[in-house]
């Protein structure tokens, strides 16, 4: 990913679009499940790979989707990465049978076994790299294992438990061209099974292997090794191994990359101050540089190197803090560059990554990073790679909180912002009951430009936030953040988008929050913002207004007024919502009840929050009056009395009052101007428009402004044409 703010390529944008709209290239059944690639479509290899691999990253690559790639004439797969896919099995993988694959990653796929390898027949002469690591239940059909893949050069069988030594020997003999082997986590007594490969392997990974002393002898005989990884988790550290390091570097003349993270190999010996690094036990002479001295190294066992290593892994070792480390790149936990490198090289090692993320978090507390964007990129990559690991998700989200501070003030790095939001959302989805993860995720989302940065993923974010209210009913802090985010998100959505988030539960959830706090007689931020959210989500959205009424919202409205008579902010939010409901013609009969009309009538005299409560009450009554005298079905208060009180209230207001308003358009107000039978209704409408055009003149003269308000409840959103302005002026003249 480019971190310079460069836009995505057109091809990548097309891939994203196709994955979001499978019907663009797939035949779908009635339920939207893909059945096949459309007959007139042939997808090039590069984009076939991206469609499948990116769908796997998003969790879309289930059996039906993988099967649509079965025809190599339509989709030419070459590099397939299905890491961590729980939805595929051996039968699904038969879809790959006819493809000539070059690379295949089936790591951490729990529902496959060795029988799936029979589907690689067509790839026999093309497959160069195979990863089947992390499949603990990967039983081999028999002990005499042979992979009929003569061109295979890279093989990862790490953490395939239960492989007997004889099976490993058979496997090694069948791979005559293998140059890179990863056997991480294998429990073997020695490495004698590597005898057939010892002259050809250039890379050997033994991460978290319990090696006995004789294993080191085999390693020292592998003269072609350029990369050697002997790292372990710190808790598996075996003390007293530091004397072996000098022997290893002396025995491996081609070595340029070495990983000893978590081991004791780099520990300082009691005689580490000595420059004499000759091996007296094995007769191996430690290499010296041509001028008679080794490289400058505080790590005693590496002083025999002729030149610096290209890479050295030292995470969770004392050597990471050494003054002179003989390597160009170092993975460690002490400095920014060390941690950056560690995150790059340990992408598939969740336990090691968790330690690196913790080290990063500690760095963020202490120093200002030189390359924070690179860390954002890496942390999000790590979180996407290990979505189910709670330690990684919690540590990663904590780091992102600090790394994204200040992002709300800029609009740079759009693609990186989106990737970060997706990583956070995914982590919150996978760990819905992990309080720390949810809190970190919410706090980090608050660092972004809201709602602009969240609009592309608003539905997914909304679902995550709604779960918080049900999973953490007694956690007021996180509920306050979640309801705040919900409110700001829904404020800027279009009508259709508001209907969608209403259907997924926002209206129902806000009503529950209000009901719970009403029962405990608690009026706090959550209560007030919940009403504000309802105000925003019902704006010109009849469906959500109906949900509010059907959910006993009017009963909650009356109860809140009675229970909290002095809460001005609460009253303003509730009356703003009442205005939205009253704008919906088919719902107004449900408001025509004596208990509701009496309250609206009494609130005309309210001075709560300036004129806001009185103004909104008058607006509600104006819409109810606009239906005509025949629709006024309550006997008390009488219609004429209410009309008189409306005029008294309007004439009391200061036309120059600055107010907190949120209008998406003037249409609901303009409709009232045609009610020539009820001039009091026109009076309210003209007053409202006059106030808006006088106090907020700069905002009401634009004909193309559709989204102005940056936050809910402040400013307003509308579109006003010159024709509408003329109508306002004319109506104002007629009523005066």
């Amino acid at each position: 990913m480019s971190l310079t703010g460069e836009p995505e390529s057109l091809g990548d944008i097309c891939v994203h679009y196709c994955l979001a709209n499978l019907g663009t290239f797939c035949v779908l059944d009635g339920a939207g499940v893909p059945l096949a690639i459309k007959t007139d479509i042939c997808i090039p290899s590069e984009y076939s790979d991206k469609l499948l691999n990116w769908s796997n990253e998003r969790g879309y690559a289930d059996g039906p989707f993988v099967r649509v790639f079965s025809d190599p004439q339509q989709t030419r797969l070459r590099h397939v990465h299905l890491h961590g896919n729980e939805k595929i099995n051996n039968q699904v993988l038969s879809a790959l049978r006819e493809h000539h694959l070059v690379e295949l990653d089936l790591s951490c796929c729990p529902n496959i076994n060795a029988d799936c390898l029979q589907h690689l027949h067509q790839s026999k002469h093309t497959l160069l790299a195979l990863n089947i690591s992390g499949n603990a239940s990967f039983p081999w059909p028999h002990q005499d294992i042979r992979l009929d893949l003569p061109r295979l050069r890279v093989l990862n069988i790490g953490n395939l438990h239960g492989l007997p030594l004889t099976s490993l020997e058979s496997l090694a003999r069948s791979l005559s061209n293998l140059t890179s082997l990863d056997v991480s986590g294998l429990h073997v007594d020695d490495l004698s099974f590597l005898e057939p490969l010892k002259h050809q392997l250039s890379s050997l990974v033994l991460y978290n292997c319990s090696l006995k002393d004789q294993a080191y002898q085999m390693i020292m005989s592998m003269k072609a090794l350029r990369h050697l990884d002997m790292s372990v988790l710190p808790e598996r550290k075996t003390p007293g191994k530091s004397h072996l390091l000098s022997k290893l570097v002396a025995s491996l003349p081609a070595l340029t990359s070495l990983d000893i993270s978590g081991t004791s190999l780099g520990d300082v010996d009691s005689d580490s101050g000595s420059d004499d690094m000759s091996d007296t036990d094995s007769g191996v002479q430690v290499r010296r540089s041509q001028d008679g001295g080794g490289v400058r190294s505080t790590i005693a066992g590496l002083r025999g190197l002729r030149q610096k290593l290209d890479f050295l892994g030292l995470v969770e070792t004392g050597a990471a803090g050494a003054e002179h480390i003989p390597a160009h790149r170092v993975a460690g936990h002490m400095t920014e560059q060390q941690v950056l490198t560690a995150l790059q090289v340990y992408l598939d090692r969740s336990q090691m990554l968790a330690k690196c993320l913790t080290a990063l978090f500690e760095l963020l507390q202490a120093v200002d990073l030189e390359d924070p964007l690179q860390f954002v990129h890496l942390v999000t990559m790590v979180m996407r790679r290990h979505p189910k690991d709670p330690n990684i998700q919690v540590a990663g989200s904590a780091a992102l909180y600090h790394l994204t501070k200040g992002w709300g003030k800029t609009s740079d790095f759009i693609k990186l912002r989106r990737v970060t939001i997706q990583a956070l959302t995914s982590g919150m989805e996978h760990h819905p009951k992990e309080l720390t993860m949810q809190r970190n995720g919410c706090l980090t989302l608050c660092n972004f430009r809201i709602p602009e940065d969240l609009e592309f993923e608003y539905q997914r974010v909304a679902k995550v936030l709604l779960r918080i209210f049900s999973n953490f009913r007694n956690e007021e802090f996180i509920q306050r953040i979640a309801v705040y985010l919900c409110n700001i998100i829904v404020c800027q959505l279009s009508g259709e988008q508001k209907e969608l988030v209403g259907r997924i539960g926002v209206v129902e959830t806000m009503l529950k929050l209000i009901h719970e706090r009403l029962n405990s007689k608690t009026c706090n931020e959550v209560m007030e913002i919940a009403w504000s959210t309802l105000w925003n989500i019902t704006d010109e959205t009849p469906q959500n207004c109906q949900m509010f009424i059907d959910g006993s919202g009017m009963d909650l409205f009356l109860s809140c007024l009675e229970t909290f008579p002095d809460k001005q902010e609460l009253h303003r939010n509730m009356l703003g919502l009442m205005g939205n409901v009253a704008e919906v013609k088919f719902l107004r009969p449900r408001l025509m009840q004596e208990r509701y009309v009496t309250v609206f009538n009494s609130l005309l005299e309210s001075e709560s929050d300036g004129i806001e409560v009185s103004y909104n009450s008058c607006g509600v009554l104006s819409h109810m009056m606009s239906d005509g005298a025949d629709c006024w079905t309550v006997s008390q208060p009488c219609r004429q009395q209410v009309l008189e009180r409306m005029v008294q209230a309007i004439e009391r207001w200061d036309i120059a009052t600055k107010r907190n308003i949120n209008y998406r358009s003037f249409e609901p107000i303009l409709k009232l101007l045609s009610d020539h039978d009820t001039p009091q209704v026109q009076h309210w409408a003209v007053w409202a428009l006059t106030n808006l055009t006088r106090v907020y003149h700069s905002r009401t003269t634009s004909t193309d402004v559709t989204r102005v308000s940056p936050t809910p409840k402040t400013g307003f959103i509308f579109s006003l044409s010159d024709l509408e302005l003329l109508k306002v002026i004319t109506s104002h003249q007629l009523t005066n």
Side-chain angles (χ1 to χ4, degrees):
M1 175 189 296
S2 170
L3 302 182
T4 61
E6 295 178 1
E8 288 187 287
S9 69
L10 180 58
D12 287 354
I13 292 174
C14 289
V15 172
H16 287 304
Y17 182 83
C18 289
L19 288 176
N21 302 273
L22 295 182
T24 54
F25 69 103
C26 289
V27 178
L28 306 179
D29 66 11
V33 177
L35 300 176
I37 302 294
K38 291 182 177 179
T39 56
D40 58 343
I41 289 179
C42 179
I43 305 174
S45 176
E46 176 187 357
Y47 295 107
S48 295
D49 291 344
K50 286 183 176 181
L51 284 168
L52 182 55
N53 297 338
W54 291 4
S55 70
N56 187 65
E57 290 180 8
R58 299 183 182 188
Y60 300 164
D62 55 8
F65 186 76
V66 174
R67 289 190 185 97
V68 303
F69 292 85
S70 59
D71 186 353
Q73 300 302 315
Q74 290 187 282
T75 58
R76 300 182 180 90
L77 295 173
R78 294 295 180 266
H79 303 270
V80 174
H81 296 221
L82 296 174
H83 167 85
N85 194 318
E86 297 180 348
K87 302 175 182 178
I88 60 171
N89 53 33
N90 291 357
Q91 184 180 9
V92 172
L93 289 177
S94 65
L96 307 179
R97 180 182 302 157
E98 301 301 322
H99 290 278
H100 295 83
L101 302 179
V102 174
E103 179 183 8
L104 177 61
D105 182 353
L106 297 175
S107 58
C108 301
C109 296
N111 296 314
I112 64 172
N113 59 39
D115 290 337
C116 74
L117 300 179
Q118 66 182 311
H119 301 312
L120 300 180
H121 178 71
Q122 291 296 334
S123 302
K124 175 179 178 179
H125 297 291
T126 60
L127 194 66
L128 301 179
L130 175 64
N131 185 349
I132 52 176
S133 64
N135 295 312
S137 59
F138 201 88
W140 293 87
H142 48 76
Q143 287 191 356
D144 186 21
I145 304 170
R146 299 185 65 83
L147 286 179
D148 188 16
L149 300 168
R151 296 191 62 195
L152 193 69
R153 299 178 65 82
V154 179
L155 176 63
N156 188 338
I157 55 172
N159 297 299
L160 293 188
H161 303 306
L163 286 177
L165 185 60
T166 54
S167 296
L168 292 171
E169 291 173 345
S170 176
L171 181 64
R173 285 194 299 270
S174 68
L175 299 170
S176 58
N177 285 306
L178 198 69
T179 59
S180 176
L181 178 63
D182 188 331
V183 291
S184 298
L186 292 191
H187 302 294
V188 293
D189 293 335
D190 59 53
L191 300 178
S192 59
F193 70 93
L194 293 176
E195 181 68 29
L197 302 171
K198 72 176 184 178
H199 297 302
Q200 65 193 64
L201 283 183
S202 61
S203 174
L204 177 61
V205 178
L206 301 166
Y207 169 62
N208 247 14
C209 289
S210 300
L211 301 179
K212 294 188 176 181
D213 287 347
Q214 58 265 40
Y216 290 90
Q217 298 300 322
M218 172 56 71
I219 295 172
M220 292 177 193
S221 70
M222 305 176 75
K223 304 303 181 181
L225 274 185
R226 297 178 60 82
H227 171 69
L228 174 62
D229 185 345
M230 304 178 68
S231 60
V232 298
L233 290 171
E235 51 267 30
R236 298 190 61 178
K237 181 177 182 178
T238 304
K241 297 289 187 180
S242 59
H243 65 286
L244 292 170
L245 184 57
S246 58
K247 297 180 183 179
L248 284 169
V249 298
S251 304
L252 303 174
L255 194 67
T256 60
S257 175
L258 176 65
D259 197 335
I260 55 174
S261 292
T263 72
S264 60
L265 289 169
D267 288 356
V268 178
D269 295 327
S270 59
D271 62 344
S272 61
S274 171
D275 287 336
D276 183 8
M277 298 305 297
S278 296
D279 189 304
T280 57
D281 296 329
S282 65
V284 176
Q285 182 64 42
V286 177
R287 289 173 290 159
R288 300 284 188 181
S289 61
Q290 292 181 352
D291 61 3
V295 297
R296 192 175 188 185
S297 173
T298 309
I299 305 169
L302 298 179
R303 289 179 186 154
L305 290 170
R306 293 182 180 275
Q307 57 188 9
K308 284 186 176 183
L309 295 169
D310 292 335
F311 168 79
L312 179 60
L314 297 174
V315 174
E316 295 291 322
T317 69
E323 181 179 2
H324 301 293
I325 301 176
H328 297 291
R329 294 176 66 232
V330 179
H333 59 282
M334 298 295 292
T335 69
E336 174 180 347
Q337 192 56 52
Q338 285 185 4
V339 175
L340 186 69
T341 302
L343 291 173
Q344 291 170 333
V345 300
Y346 297 135
L347 185 59
D348 288 322
R349 300 181 184 179
S350 59
Q351 292 169 295
M352 193 72 82
L353 283 172
K355 297 182 183 300
C356 295
L357 289 172
T358 300
L360 172 59
F361 183 78
E362 293 172 353
L363 277 176
L364 289 166
Q365 308 298 304
V367 299
D368 292 329
L369 300 183
E370 294 181 3
D371 195 359
L373 291 180
Q374 186 65 37
F375 275 103
V376 173
H377 170 59
L378 288 172
V379 172
T380 55
M381 184 185 298
V382 167
M383 292 176 69
R384 296 199 313 273
R385 186 73 170 177
H386 303 275
K388 296 182 180 180
D389 190 311
N391 294 324
I392 284 181
Q393 296 302 315
V394 169
S397 59
L400 287 176
Y401 169 73
H402 291 281
L403 288 166
T404 58
K405 282 184 177 179
W407 280 25
K409 300 177 182 178
T410 70
S411 58
D412 299 328
F413 315 114
I414 299 299
K415 185 162 64 173
L416 188 58
R417 286 170 183 267
R418 292 189 171 188
V419 170
T420 305
I421 290 168
Q422 288 172 331
L424 286 167
T425 307
S426 177
M428 296 171 77
E429 287 173 337
H430 281 89
H431 305 279
K433 296 187 177 181
E434 174 59 58
L435 175 60
T436 306
M437 178 65 219
Q438 300 300 314
R439 184 174 62 241
N440 289 354
C442 285
L443 287 171
T444 306
L445 288 175
C446 290
N447 286 341
F448 290 83
R449 296 178 307 152
I450 303 174
E452 294 92 336
D453 287 342
L454 302 183
E455 282 185 312
F456 81 102
E457 199 79 297
Y458 74 92
Q459 183 179 352
R460 194 173 168 207
V461 173
K463 288 180 179 178
V464 165
L465 295 174
L466 292 180
R467 284 198 202 99
I468 289 174
F469 300 117
S470 58
N471 290 337
F472 304 102
R473 308 185 82 88
N474 299 319
E475 297 291 338
E476 194 71 17
F477 176 72
I478 191 171
Q479 289 211 359
R480 188 164 71 247
I481 304 172
V483 74
Y484 163 79
L485 287 169
C486 276
N487 190 28
I488 299 183
I489 290 172
V490 302
C491 175
Q492 295 283 18
L493 297 179
S494 67
E496 290 183 359
Q497 292 171 328
K498 286 184 178 183
E499 288 184 359
L500 178 57
V501 295
R503 287 196 299 271
I504 66 176
V506 172
V507 175
E508 179 185 359
T509 300
M510 294 303 113
L511 291 173
K512 285 182 180 178
L513 290 177
I514 294 167
H515 188 266
E516 290 169 359
R517 280 148 187 81
L518 188 59
N519 285 343
S520 63
K521 292 182 168 54
T522 302
C523 182
N524 55 15
E525 274 190 90
V526 174
M527 163 80 88
E528 292 179 352
I529 300 175
W531 277 108
S532 177
T533 304
L534 289 172
W535 180 7
N536 283 309
I537 201 172
T538 55
D539 181 29
E540 297 190 36
T541 314
Q543 174 183 290
N544 291 344
C545 292
Q546 182 173 358
M547 284 186 186
F548 169 78
I549 290 188
D550 291 343
S552 302
M554 294 303 297
D555 292 335
L556 292 177
F557 163 66
L558 294 181
S559 297
C560 284
L561 278 177
E562 179 181 353
T563 308
F564 311 111
D566 301 321
K567 295 292 184 178
Q568 295 189 15
E569 177 87 357
L570 178 68
H571 293 182
R572 180 170 66 84
N573 293 344
M574 291 194 299
L575 266 298
L577 166 60
M578 292 302 109
N580 289 341
V581 175
E583 289 174 3
V584 183
K585 185 176 179 63
F586 72 86
L587 293 178
R588 287 200 284 268
R590 299 178 67 173
L591 296 180
M592 191 60 69
Q593 298 182 33
E594 184 173 317
R595 55 180 180 153
Y596 302 148
V597 177
T598 299
V599 168
F600 297 138
N601 185 46
S602 65
L603 290 175
L604 287 171
E605 297 181 356
S606 172
E607 295 182 357
S608 180
D609 198 27
I611 70 168
E612 292 303 317
V613 172
S614 176
Y615 169 86
N616 282 313
S617 297
C618 196
V620 172
L621 291 168
S622 294
H623 284 288
M624 296 175 71
M625 293 289 184
S626 70
D627 291 332
D630 292 341
C631 294
W632 191 269
T633 58
V634 297
S635 57
Q636 291 294 329
C638 72
R639 188 171 187 269
Q640 186 58 38
Q641 178 190 19
V642 174
L643 288 171
E644 291 173 0
R645 287 169 58 85
M646 287 170 57
V647 173
Q648 293 170 6
I650 295 169
E651 292 179 345
R652 188 176 66 247
W653 305 333
D654 181 357
I655 196 66
T657 301
K658 292 185 177 180
R659 301 164 42 237
N660 291 314
I661 48 180
N662 186 6
Y663 281 108
R664 184 169 296 275
S665 77
F666 282 164
E667 183 179 0
I669 300 177
L670 292 171
K671 285 182 178 179
L672 298 179
L673 294 175
S674 61
D675 186 9
H676 302 294
D677 295 332
T678 316
Q680 296 89 340
V681 171
Q682 291 181 315
H683 191 177
W684 178 84
V686 170
W687 190 98
L689 293 170
T690 304
N691 171 258
L692 294 173
T693 54
R694 175 177 295 187
V695 178
Y696 301 101
H697 178 267
S698 63
R699 287 182 170 180
T700 57
T701 55
S702 173
T703 61
D704 57 356
V705 174
T706 57
R707 290 179 180 265
V708 177
S709 174
T711 58
K713 304 186 296 181
T714 60
F716 49 91
I717 309 168
F718 58 86
S719 175
L720 189 63
S721 69
D722 293 337
L723 180 60
E724 290 172 327
L725 276 172
L726 179 60
K727 185 176 181 180
V728 170
I729 296 170
T730 304
S731 299
H732 181 71
Q733 293 171 339
L734 290 173
T735 55
N736 285 276

